[in-house]
Amino acid sequence: MMENKLDGNAAGGILQEIFPFEMTQVQATCTGCGTTAAIGALAVYMHGMGTVIRCPSCDTVLIRVAQGRGHYWLDMRGVRVLQINTEV
């Protein structure tokens, strides 16, 4: 699975389809270790079943995204807080 590891910017496309703002700059706080980092700095694994975004500090799964037949499934149970800055 390590060969599929990318940085968080790789998840920007799928997240942009769901959220109306630049998600790579959004700060996510990990439920596992409390680390806060921009989505663009997280570890991403992309494959046919979807996208998995993990904490770079403790490897907790923060976000899972799957897409199929006009639907998105978004599991964010690994994110304690999602901080979205609306100022440009």
Side-chain angles (χ1 to χ4, degrees):
M1 187 155 154
M2 290 302 288
E3 66 270 4
N4 295 332
K5 184 177 180 180
L6 305 166
D7 73 21
N9 293 307
I14 188 81
L15 293 174
Q16 187 67 47
E17 293 177 26
I18 300 168
F19 295 98
F21 36 78
E22 178 55 50
M23 283 297 290
T24 59
Q25 300 299 313
V26 169
Q27 300 286 313
T29 301
C30 176
T31 59
C33 69
T35 296
T36 299
I39 299 280
L42 303 177
V44 172
Y45 297 87
M46 299 177 84
H47 48 79
M49 294 180 67
T51 301
V52 176
I53 303 171
R54 292 181 170 269
C55 176
S57 297
C58 71
D59 208 36
T60 293
V61 174
L62 301 177
I63 303 171
R64 293 177 186 93
V65 183
Q67 177 185 12
R69 290 187 267 175
H71 293 86
Y72 292 96
W73 291 269
L74 184 63
D75 176 353
M76 295 182 61
R77 74 183 84 184
V79 176
R80 182 183 305 159
V81 175
L82 198 64
Q83 180 182 338
I84 303 162
N85 185 0
T86 58
E87 296 177 10
V88 178

